[in-house]
Amino acid sequence: MQVSVIAGPSNVGKSTAAKALGEIRGARLLEVDDLARSSTSKALAFERDPSVWDQSPTSLCELLIGKGIALWPEIASWIDGSIIDTDQPTIIEGEGPSPGHLRAYQGADVAAVFVIEPDARRLHDTLSERSQSYRKLPPLQQANVVQMNVLYGEWLRHECDRQGIPWIESQPWATLLTRCTEALLESKEPGRVTAMRTLD
């Protein structure tokens, strides 16, 4: 397995799992957030405007999906370059890749898993603990951010089911790395795509 993609909403444990897996495999780590940070594209930089969080969770979720579409050409070039130009394993981690985009790459060289957190309270607690910018938001905007991530996770889950790509819940944290590793192997075996699901 040359390229592993660990994707999903923010603050679900993707980065921690990707870094740990990278150390185990001696892989280089490419973070999608780096693409968004360096871009001036409105589709990629919408989160820099504090007033954006006044929008409805549905509108915010649509912005996240649009962000993924805008990022995809760069992500695809990372994948293509990793397959063609290096023998070192590569892990691509972040918010942006979509199951539909990745489906075309599923095979011997690329595997993907999506990590989601369906519980709004857990998302709030994790964001409060890890994100200073989230803590600074007023309660209504915090609620919009949380619901945006819940809706985005639901959309990813639906798309994963449609495309035959595995997804897992972020909890429990203690087993996330193991479950990510198993799901990456599972993504190469289309007949096993239901093995890691924990939601109805």
Side-chain angles (χ1 to χ4, degrees):
M1 185 189 306
Q2 196 166 0
V3 181
S4 301
V5 180
I6 301 176
S10 296
N11 289 279
V12 294
K14 303 183 309 298
S15 297
T16 302
K19 286 173 184 173
L21 186 60
E23 289 176 5
I24 292 168
R25 293 185 174 171
R28 65 173 181 157
L29 179 63
L30 302 178
E31 299 184 72
V32 176
D33 282 352
D34 291 341
L35 294 176
R37 281 192 208 102
S38 62
S39 175
T40 57
S41 164
K42 190 172 182 180
L44 300 181
F46 74 89
E47 293 155 316
R48 297 175 199 165
D49 176 7
S51 68
V52 75
W53 307 119
D54 290 323
Q55 296 186 42
S56 72
T58 299
S59 295
L60 291 170
C61 181
E62 289 170 357
L63 287 174
L64 269 184
I65 294 169
K67 176 181 174 182
I69 293 169
L71 282 168
W72 179 247
E74 289 286 348
I75 298 169
S77 71
W78 277 357
I79 295 173
D80 293 335
S82 297
I83 293 171
I84 295 168
D85 297 332
T86 180
D87 292 327
Q88 183 182 19
T90 300
I91 296 174
I92 296 174
E93 175 275 321
E95 182 183 75
S98 78
H101 286 138
L102 289 166
R103 184 67 184 113
Y105 280 96
Q106 290 293 93
D109 292 317
V110 181
V113 60
F114 285 79
V115 183
I116 65 169
E117 174 51 74
D119 187 285
R121 172 47 61 181
R122 278 194 192 134
L123 276 169
H124 169 73
D125 291 347
T126 303
L127 283 161
S128 297
E129 180 183 336
R130 296 184 171 194
S131 173
Q132 182 178 8
S133 59
Y134 177 80
R135 291 194 297 272
K136 290 180 179 178
L137 295 177
L140 181 58
Q141 289 187 337
Q142 287 186 351
N144 288 341
V145 170
V146 168
Q147 287 304 314
M148 169 193 72
N149 280 296
V150 169
L151 290 175
Y152 185 51
E154 289 175 355
W155 179 80
L156 288 173
R157 175 190 165 201
H158 174 75
E159 288 298 301
C160 282
D161 288 347
R162 241 176 27 100
Q163 301 295 339
I165 293 178
W167 57 268
I168 59 174
E169 288 189 30
S170 63
Q171 298 293 331
W173 294 112
T175 62
L176 181 58
L177 175 59
T178 300
R179 290 182 293 115
C180 274
T181 303
E182 291 173 354
L184 288 167
L185 292 172
E186 173 196 345
S187 76
K188 297 173 63 168
E189 301 176 38
R192 296 181 60 227
V193 294
T194 61
M196 301 303 295
R197 297 177 191 159
T198 56
L199 295 177
D200 294 330

